[in-house]
Amino acid sequence: PTFSISSARSIDSQEELSPSAGGSVRVTGEVKEVQNGQRLILHDRGSTLQVDASSLIRPVNGVLPGVHVQAVGELEGPQLKARILRVLHNMDMALYEECLLLRRRVEAQYIDIPAPS
C-alpha cells in the first residue's frame, strides 16, 4: 500500500495560527520548556506555541530548553500536533528565513500563492 502526505506549509511565528488554515504546517523555534516528555513550548520572536509531541515515535527526552527545533504537524486548536520533530544543530536561522522569504516570492509569482507582506 502507498500513501501520501502533502508537503507542509512553513509558517512564520508572526503569522496568525488558526486551525482554519488547514493542512500540515512547519514551524521552527527555540524550546523554552519540556513538559512530561510529551509537550514542548516553543518560542520565536515574541510568539509562543505549544507542541503536542505524544504521537512521535521517538521521545523528546533528549530535547532540552534552549535547543532550536523544527516541528511538522497539524494545528489542533491552540497547539501543533507534531508528527515530525527535528533538532536544528548549527542552523543559520537568518539564512533559513531569507530562503523562506525568497521561496514565498517565487511561489507568489509562479504558483499563485500569496506572498508575505
Side-chain angles (χ1 to χ4, degrees):
T2 62
F3 64 93
S4 70
I5 299 175
S6 62
S7 63
R9 177 176 61 96
S10 294
I11 57 174
D12 188 280
S13 66
Q14 305 304 309
E15 291 181 50
E16 171 114 13
L17 294 177
S18 66
S20 62
S24 294
V25 295
R26 176 179 29 237
V27 297
T28 58
E30 179 184 350
V31 176
K32 285 298 183 186
E33 189 178 340
V34 179
Q35 301 172 342
N36 300 324
Q38 300 290 312
R39 183 175 316 279
L40 302 172
I41 307 298
L42 296 186
H43 178 79
D44 182 49
R45 290 176 283 170
S47 297
T48 303
L49 177 66
Q50 291 184 22
V51 177
D52 177 357
S54 62
S55 297
L56 297 176
I57 295 172
R58 293 184 180 169
V60 297
N61 297 338
V63 178
L64 301 172
V67 171
H68 280 84
V69 297
Q70 184 175 70
V72 179
E74 288 68 40
L75 289 172
E76 293 184 355
Q79 70 178 1
L80 178 73
K81 181 131 179 105
R83 55 185 160 83
I84 299 170
L85 182 77
R86 64 179 171 173
V87 177
L88 304 176
H89 291 295
N90 301 320
M91 185 170 193
D92 184 336
M93 293 306 294
L95 182 59
Y96 173 76
E97 290 174 6
E98 186 177 335
C99 290
L100 281 179
L101 184 61
L102 290 171
R103 176 184 173 171
R104 289 175 177 175
R105 287 181 183 158
V106 168
E107 287 174 341
Q109 184 175 357
Y110 295 105
I111 309 176
D112 200 26
I113 297 173
S117 52

